[in-house]
Amino acid sequence: GIYIEMVDIRNRYISLVGLNKKTCIVRYDDGNYGNFPINMWAKNNIYNLTVISTHDNGLTITGLPAYAIHYDYTGIGENEIENCTLISYQHAGIGIGLHDQQTLKIKNCEIYSRSIDGNGGAIFAHNQQANGGTNQKLILTNCIVKSLIGHSIVIEDANHLVGLSTSSPLISN
């Protein structure tokens, strides 16, 4: 079915598993940052879902726009998003904030930005905003990543903005 809601699974050891990504859809129509269809952190996995962020509710986007999935916050470990379709009509399909000792593996997914404004890419990622953050990895395997304008993938060194330095490797197979 289509579930029109915000799903916040941070601070929980939860995996969201759909039966079929074409028929199991999580959607939210607000479009404003903070109102993501799925908000997750380093203890969650997602499989077989379509996740859509729109601004179809008639409200004006104020401030930053929303991703389909927001992945951020501290926590050690490896996480997966597999066999999913992620679409945002106003920003990146997924916004990623990697932290110390985190690996996010995105496999067999389609990730789209349908925005005609800005240049956040279909994937927007940054590293930990603190000196000393290490082993932060984003691994893409067999994915389709498309943006209507600009770059498809945008990786930002968040520490560069405050005069620090670390690195965030992108591994694409």
Side-chain angles (χ1 to χ4, degrees):
I2 298 174
Y3 304 91
I4 299 177
E5 57 187 291
M6 292 185 301
V7 180
D8 189 344
I9 55 176
R10 293 173 299 159
N11 299 317
R12 296 169 183 90
Y13 294 91
I14 293 177
S15 291
L16 294 179
V17 181
L19 294 176
N20 181 327
K21 75 175 182 178
K22 293 182 181 185
T23 59
C24 192
I25 300 167
V26 178
R27 173 182 169 150
Y28 200 67
D29 298 328
D30 179 274
N32 284 289
Y33 191 85
N35 297 334
F36 314 106
I38 296 180
N39 200 6
M40 63 185 290
W41 74 323
K43 307 296 183 191
N44 309 130
N45 297 298
I46 298 176
Y47 305 99
N48 306 321
L49 293 175
T50 292
V51 185
I52 302 171
S53 178
T54 77
H55 48 281
D56 288 349
N57 67 0
L59 296 176
T60 301
I61 296 174
T62 56
L64 296 172
Y67 311 112
I69 292 181
H70 183 233
Y71 174 94
D72 208 336
Y73 314 104
T74 59
I76 294 173
E78 289 189 6
N79 307 95
E80 292 182 336
I81 298 173
E82 187 171 347
N83 196 35
C84 293
T85 300
L86 313 177
I87 304 168
S88 177
Y89 284 88
Q90 60 277 329
H91 206 341
I94 184 168
I96 302 165
L98 291 169
H99 290 265
D100 190 44
Q101 306 300 318
Q102 281 184 359
T103 298
L104 176 59
K105 296 178 179 180
I106 302 176
K107 301 177 187 175
N108 303 316
C109 291
E110 298 175 50
I111 305 169
Y112 302 101
S113 171
R114 296 288 184 234
S115 174
I116 58 171
D117 300 318
N119 184 19
I123 296 174
F124 175 79
H126 65 79
N127 56 349
Q128 181 178 353
Q129 295 175 330
N131 199 11
T134 60
N135 198 25
Q136 302 167 66
K137 296 177 187 169
L138 171 59
I139 301 173
L140 303 176
T141 306
N142 195 35
C143 293
I144 297 170
V145 182
K146 292 185 179 180
S147 180
L148 285 182
I149 61 170
H151 304 288
S152 292
I153 300 174
V154 175
I155 299 177
E156 184 176 90
D157 184 353
N159 292 296
H160 178 72
L161 301 174
V162 293
L164 303 172
S165 65
T166 59
S167 63
S168 293
L170 167 66
I171 302 167
S172 179
N173 299 348

